[in-house]
Amino acid sequence: MPDKPTQLIGQSGPFLDAVERASAAAQLSRPVLVVGERGTGKEMIAERLHRLSPRWDQPLVSLNCAALPETLLDAELFGYEAGAFTGAVKARAGRFEEADGGTLFLDEVGMLTAAGQERLLRVVEYGELTRLGSPRVQRVDVRVV
């Protein structure tokens, strides 16, 4: 059984406003953009969005995009088939597949190149992805934060 929402403690106006907005947006099934400096609690807000949403009993998957080299972006997000590249000895699901039915939190998505962000857009808009080395398009139902 999934954990209950994390208790957030704070009293500043901007913090309380962010928590209130996250709580209100939780019921929507649209992607959500959380903006803030590093260390300001974006991941806590993403967790609150997930835990208060109808997706609360499905996976919440996080990925720090700033720590991801551009060359690994597609493999990490979309997965790959065995033999897709040197070292790919078995198929692996990407983060979108892992989060299917739930929420994918992409921390520091602004650090990705424009080309990387563009590749994300197709999945966000249409819920479709293709694993590296696969001719098959897969559908996923993921809320992106």
Side-chain angles (χ1 to χ4, degrees), residues 13 32 35 39-40 42 55 60 64 67 100 104 114 116 128 130 137 144:
V32 174
V35 179
T40 56
K42 294 184 296 288
R55 297 171 182 268
L60 169 61
N64 181 350
D100 195 21
L104 176 61
E128 295 179 347
T130 304
V137 174
V144 177

Side-chain angles (χ1 to χ4, degrees), residues 21-49:
R21 286 178 180 218
S23 299
Q27 295 303 311
L28 305 174
S29 62
R30 304 288 304 151
V32 174
L33 178 64
V34 180
V35 179
E37 298 294 320
R38 285 188 177 157
T40 56
K42 294 184 296 288
E43 190 163 6
M44 287 191 308
I45 294 295
E47 184 178 331
R48 184 165 187 87
L49 276 162

Side-chain angles (χ1 to χ4, degrees), residues 42-143:
K42 294 184 296 288
E43 190 163 6
M44 287 191 308
I45 294 295
E47 184 178 331
R48 184 165 187 87
L49 276 162
H50 176 73
R51 299 288 177 217
L52 295 177
S53 79
R55 297 171 182 268
W56 68 271
D57 60 342
Q58 298 298 316
L60 169 61
V61 177
S62 296
L63 177 66
N64 181 350
C65 296
L68 186 65
E70 180 73 20
T71 55
L72 298 179
L73 178 68
D74 289 355
E76 192 64 32
L77 288 174
F78 311 129
Y80 52 85
E81 296 296 328
F85 52 85
T86 303
V89 293
K90 63 180 183 175
R92 181 186 170 283
R95 299 295 174 104
F96 274 101
E97 286 181 79
E98 291 173 3
D100 195 21
T103 303
L104 176 61
F105 173 57
L106 298 174
D107 195 15
E108 302 295 338
V109 72
M111 298 297 289
L112 296 177
T113 64
Q117 290 181 30
E118 195 173 305
R119 291 193 299 277
L120 283 175
L121 188 58
R122 177 135 189 103
V123 185
V124 172
E125 283 187 331
Y126 301 107
E128 295 179 347
L129 64 87
T130 304
R131 282 185 179 181
L132 291 175
S134 175
R136 188 171 62 96
V137 174
Q138 291 182 240
R139 294 207 44 85
V140 291
D141 175 22
V142 177
R143 181 184 199 180

